[in-house]
Amino acid sequence: LAKTTQPISMDSYEGQEVNITCSHNNIATNDYITWYQQFPSQGPRFIIQGYKTKVTNEVASLFIPADRKSSTLSLPRVSLSDTAVYYCLVGDPLVTGGGNKLTFGTGTQLKVEL
Amino acid sequence: DTAVSQTPKYLVTQMGNDKSIKCEQNLGHDTMYWYKQDSKKFLKIMFSYNNKELIINETVPNRFSPKSPDKAHLNLHINSLELGDSAVYFCASSRDRTSGANIANTGELFFGEGSRLTVL
């Protein structure tokens, strides 16, 4: 499984755009990049997934360069409620019982202030 | 309706005791998981089951024994509890490739709310 590296923590202010970058130098051809968000006292929840270029949904955007060795989760105009831990996972998301579901690591703690 | 539910939410017990955490999913998924999250927020896979069969066992001590009576349930039994077992345990489920081809399937995990186990 591709190992990922992401910052331990980030601070931001309400209304700003936040970009969290994840490095995954040994990503494989079948691997997708998936991001999860975890609020305190809750289980992680899926935010976005992509394979290449750019993916956007109602919550975030995911930018993936051509070499796919890194990816950037972009949260537009964050609010206090976006304070959470963000996990970057790399792997085949459809492998039965495994794949990219195995390695969450410690994630990036995002703190949003007024 | 809660998609993935686990009970109890909190569990405080003494070292050496045996305890169980139950998990149920009503999403029709074939695969279920147990994760352990320690005090430093490191979230690590313990087990995964597909259609009641063990797929992944990530070097978890034998004191931990998962049981899947059917594909909607995956319970976790822990024998002889130790201080280091204190953590939050998350159950999750997903729909994987064996569930049928679906280009819209992201294979995403659906997590329960977690069960905080404190061993004294």
Side-chain angles (χ1 to χ4, degrees), chain A residues 24-37:
Chain A
H24 29 82
N25 291 318
N26 58 341
I27 188 169
T29 303
N30 290 338
D31 289 348
Y32 282 68
I33 300 149
T34 310
W35 286 80
Y36 284 81
Q37 174 191 55

PDB file of all heavy atoms in Angstrom, chain A residues 24-37:
ATOM      1  N   HIS A  24       2.249  11.030  -1.645  1.00  0.00           N
ATOM      2  CA  HIS A  24       2.130   9.573  -1.820  1.00  0.00           C
ATOM      3  C   HIS A  24       2.989   9.172  -3.011  1.00  0.00           C
ATOM      4  O   HIS A  24       2.482   8.900  -4.106  1.00  0.00           O
ATOM      5  CB  HIS A  24       0.674   9.136  -1.982  1.00  0.00           C
ATOM      6  CG  HIS A  24      -0.230  10.162  -2.590  1.00  0.00           C
ATOM      7  ND1 HIS A  24      -0.323  10.371  -3.950  1.00  0.00           N
ATOM      8  CD2 HIS A  24      -1.086  11.033  -2.013  1.00  0.00           C
ATOM      9  CE1 HIS A  24      -1.198  11.325  -4.177  1.00  0.00           C
ATOM     10  NE2 HIS A  24      -1.679  11.752  -3.033  1.00  0.00           N
ATOM     11  N   ASN A  25       4.303   9.144  -2.795  1.00  0.00           N
ATOM     12  CA  ASN A  25       5.255   8.966  -3.887  1.00  0.00           C
ATOM     13  C   ASN A  25       5.165   7.620  -4.579  1.00  0.00           C
ATOM     14  O   ASN A  25       5.518   7.494  -5.747  1.00  0.00           O
ATOM     15  CB  ASN A  25       6.684   9.184  -3.370  1.00  0.00           C
ATOM     16  CG  ASN A  25       6.941  10.633  -3.014  1.00  0.00           C
ATOM     17  OD1 ASN A  25       6.528  11.529  -3.730  1.00  0.00           O
ATOM     18  ND2 ASN A  25       7.615  10.856  -1.907  1.00  0.00           N
ATOM     19  N   ASN A  26       4.743   6.577  -3.858  1.00  0.00           N
ATOM     20  CA  ASN A  26       4.712   5.253  -4.486  1.00  0.00           C
ATOM     21  C   ASN A  26       3.287   4.797  -4.809  1.00  0.00           C
ATOM     22  O   ASN A  26       2.968   3.617  -4.712  1.00  0.00           O
ATOM     23  CB  ASN A  26       5.433   4.219  -3.615  1.00  0.00           C
ATOM     24  CG  ASN A  26       4.826   4.122  -2.230  1.00  0.00           C
ATOM     25  OD1 ASN A  26       4.127   5.024  -1.793  1.00  0.00           O
ATOM     26  ND2 ASN A  26       5.079   3.031  -1.539  1.00  0.00           N
ATOM     27  N   ILE A  27       2.461   5.731  -5.210  1.00  0.00           N
ATOM     28  CA  ILE A  27       1.083   5.395  -5.580  1.00  0.00           C
ATOM     29  C   ILE A  27       1.078   4.460  -6.782  1.00  0.00           C
ATOM     30  O   ILE A  27       1.872   4.611  -7.708  1.00  0.00           O
ATOM     31  CB  ILE A  27       0.276   6.682  -5.868  1.00  0.00           C
ATOM     32  CG1 ILE A  27      -1.208   6.364  -6.061  1.00  0.00           C
ATOM     33  CG2 ILE A  27       0.863   7.436  -7.046  1.00  0.00           C
ATOM     34  CD1 ILE A  27      -2.086   7.601  -6.088  1.00  0.00           C
ATOM     35  N   ALA A  28       0.201   3.462  -6.758  1.00  0.00           N
ATOM     36  CA  ALA A  28       0.138   2.466  -7.831  1.00  0.00           C
ATOM     37  C   ALA A  28      -0.936   2.844  -8.854  1.00  0.00           C
ATOM     38  O   ALA A  28      -1.807   3.667  -8.593  1.00  0.00           O
ATOM     39  CB  ALA A  28      -0.159   1.090  -7.238  1.00  0.00           C
ATOM     40  N   THR A  29      -0.869   2.186  -9.989  1.00  0.00           N
ATOM     41  CA  THR A  29      -1.767   2.507 -11.098  1.00  0.00           C
ATOM     42  C   THR A  29      -3.237   2.381 -10.714  1.00  0.00           C
ATOM     43  O   THR A  29      -4.069   3.183 -11.130  1.00  0.00           O
ATOM     44  CB  THR A  29      -1.484   1.591 -12.296  1.00  0.00           C
ATOM     45  OG1 THR A  29      -0.110   1.717 -12.662  1.00  0.00           O
ATOM     46  CG2 THR A  29      -2.362   1.945 -13.487  1.00  0.00           C
ATOM     47  N   ASN A  30      -3.575   1.374  -9.922  1.00  0.00           N
ATOM     48  CA  ASN A  30      -4.979   1.141  -9.559  1.00  0.00           C
ATOM     49  C   ASN A  30      -5.442   1.960  -8.358  1.00  0.00           C
ATOM     50  O   ASN A  30      -6.600   1.869  -7.959  1.00  0.00           O
ATOM     51  CB  ASN A  30      -5.207  -0.333  -9.232  1.00  0.00           C
ATOM     52  CG  ASN A  30      -5.116  -1.219 -10.456  1.00  0.00           C
ATOM     53  OD1 ASN A  30      -5.279  -0.750 -11.581  1.00  0.00           O
ATOM     54  ND2 ASN A  30      -4.849  -2.487 -10.234  1.00  0.00           N
ATOM     55  N   ASP A  31      -4.545   2.720  -7.785  1.00  0.00           N
ATOM     56  CA  ASP A  31      -4.864   3.432  -6.554  1.00  0.00           C
ATOM     57  C   ASP A  31      -5.671   4.702  -6.800  1.00  0.00           C
ATOM     58  O   ASP A  31      -5.384   5.451  -7.737  1.00  0.00           O
ATOM     59  CB  ASP A  31      -3.587   3.811  -5.800  1.00  0.00           C
ATOM     60  CG  ASP A  31      -2.887   2.613  -5.189  1.00  0.00           C
ATOM     61  OD1 ASP A  31      -3.503   1.527  -5.144  1.00  0.00           O
ATOM     62  OD2 ASP A  31      -1.736   2.777  -4.742  1.00  0.00           O
ATOM     63  N   TYR A  32      -6.628   4.930  -5.935  1.00  0.00           N
ATOM     64  CA  TYR A  32      -7.355   6.181  -5.869  1.00  0.00           C
ATOM     65  C   TYR A  32      -6.911   6.936  -4.613  1.00  0.00           C
ATOM     66  O   TYR A  32      -6.293   6.366  -3.720  1.00  0.00           O
ATOM     67  CB  TYR A  32      -8.867   5.923  -5.791  1.00  0.00           C
ATOM     68  CG  TYR A  32      -9.500   5.576  -7.115  1.00  0.00           C
ATOM     69  CD1 TYR A  32      -9.209   4.379  -7.754  1.00  0.00           C
ATOM     70  CD2 TYR A  32     -10.401   6.442  -7.725  1.00  0.00           C
ATOM     71  CE1 TYR A  32      -9.790   4.057  -8.966  1.00  0.00           C
ATOM     72  CE2 TYR A  32     -11.000   6.128  -8.926  1.00  0.00           C
ATOM     73  CZ  TYR A  32     -10.679   4.938  -9.546  1.00  0.00           C
ATOM     74  OH  TYR A  32     -11.256   4.622 -10.742  1.00  0.00           O
ATOM     75  N   ILE A  33      -7.237   8.200  -4.571  1.00  0.00           N
ATOM     76  CA  ILE A  33      -6.930   9.037  -3.404  1.00  0.00           C
ATOM     77  C   ILE A  33      -8.250   9.428  -2.763  1.00  0.00           C
ATOM     78  O   ILE A  33      -9.147   9.962  -3.428  1.00  0.00           O
ATOM     79  CB  ILE A  33      -6.152  10.288  -3.827  1.00  0.00           C
ATOM     80  CG1 ILE A  33      -4.833   9.881  -4.495  1.00  0.00           C
ATOM     81  CG2 ILE A  33      -5.884  11.181  -2.608  1.00  0.00           C
ATOM     82  CD1 ILE A  33      -4.372  10.831  -5.552  1.00  0.00           C
ATOM     83  N   THR A  34      -8.369   9.113  -1.496  1.00  0.00           N
ATOM     84  CA  THR A  34      -9.622   9.327  -0.776  1.00  0.00           C
ATOM     85  C   THR A  34      -9.348  10.121   0.497  1.00  0.00           C
ATOM     86  O   THR A  34      -8.364   9.863   1.189  1.00  0.00           O
ATOM     87  CB  THR A  34     -10.274   7.984  -0.403  1.00  0.00           C
ATOM     88  OG1 THR A  34     -10.328   7.140  -1.557  1.00  0.00           O
ATOM     89  CG2 THR A  34     -11.681   8.191   0.134  1.00  0.00           C
ATOM     90  N   TRP A  35     -10.207  11.064   0.781  1.00  0.00           N
ATOM     91  CA  TRP A  35     -10.074  11.872   1.998  1.00  0.00           C
ATOM     92  C   TRP A  35     -11.288  11.646   2.900  1.00  0.00           C
ATOM     93  O   TRP A  35     -12.431  11.585   2.426  1.00  0.00           O
ATOM     94  CB  TRP A  35      -9.957  13.354   1.659  1.00  0.00           C
ATOM     95  CG  TRP A  35      -8.626  13.740   1.093  1.00  0.00           C
ATOM     96  CD1 TRP A  35      -8.203  13.575  -0.193  1.00  0.00           C
ATOM     97  CD2 TRP A  35      -7.549  14.363   1.801  1.00  0.00           C
ATOM     98  NE1 TRP A  35      -6.918  14.053  -0.337  1.00  0.00           N
ATOM     99  CE2 TRP A  35      -6.493  14.545   0.873  1.00  0.00           C
ATOM    100  CE3 TRP A  35      -7.356  14.790   3.115  1.00  0.00           C
ATOM    101  CZ2 TRP A  35      -5.276  15.130   1.216  1.00  0.00           C
ATOM    102  CZ3 TRP A  35      -6.157  15.382   3.457  1.00  0.00           C
ATOM    103  CH2 TRP A  35      -5.132  15.549   2.527  1.00  0.00           C
ATOM    104  N   TYR A  36     -10.989  11.537   4.201  1.00  0.00           N
ATOM    105  CA  TYR A  36     -12.020  11.422   5.214  1.00  0.00           C
ATOM    106  C   TYR A  36     -11.869  12.561   6.217  1.00  0.00           C
ATOM    107  O   TYR A  36     -10.772  13.096   6.428  1.00  0.00           O
ATOM    108  CB  TYR A  36     -11.908  10.086   5.965  1.00  0.00           C
ATOM    109  CG  TYR A  36     -12.402   8.882   5.188  1.00  0.00           C
ATOM    110  CD1 TYR A  36     -11.601   8.267   4.232  1.00  0.00           C
ATOM    111  CD2 TYR A  36     -13.674   8.361   5.422  1.00  0.00           C
ATOM    112  CE1 TYR A  36     -12.057   7.167   3.518  1.00  0.00           C
ATOM    113  CE2 TYR A  36     -14.134   7.257   4.718  1.00  0.00           C
ATOM    114  CZ  TYR A  36     -13.325   6.673   3.774  1.00  0.00           C
ATOM    115  OH  TYR A  36     -13.778   5.578   3.072  1.00  0.00           O
ATOM    116  N   GLN A  37     -12.971  12.903   6.851  1.00  0.00           N
ATOM    117  CA  GLN A  37     -13.019  13.956   7.867  1.00  0.00           C
ATOM    118  C   GLN A  37     -13.541  13.335   9.163  1.00  0.00           C
ATOM    119  O   GLN A  37     -14.495  12.549   9.129  1.00  0.00           O
ATOM    120  CB  GLN A  37     -13.978  15.050   7.381  1.00  0.00           C
ATOM    121  CG  GLN A  37     -14.255  16.166   8.368  1.00  0.00           C
ATOM    122  CD  GLN A  37     -15.418  17.036   7.861  1.00  0.00           C
ATOM    123  OE1 GLN A  37     -16.504  16.541   7.583  1.00  0.00           O
ATOM    124  NE2 GLN A  37     -15.181  18.330   7.716  1.00  0.00           N
TER     125      GLN A  37
END
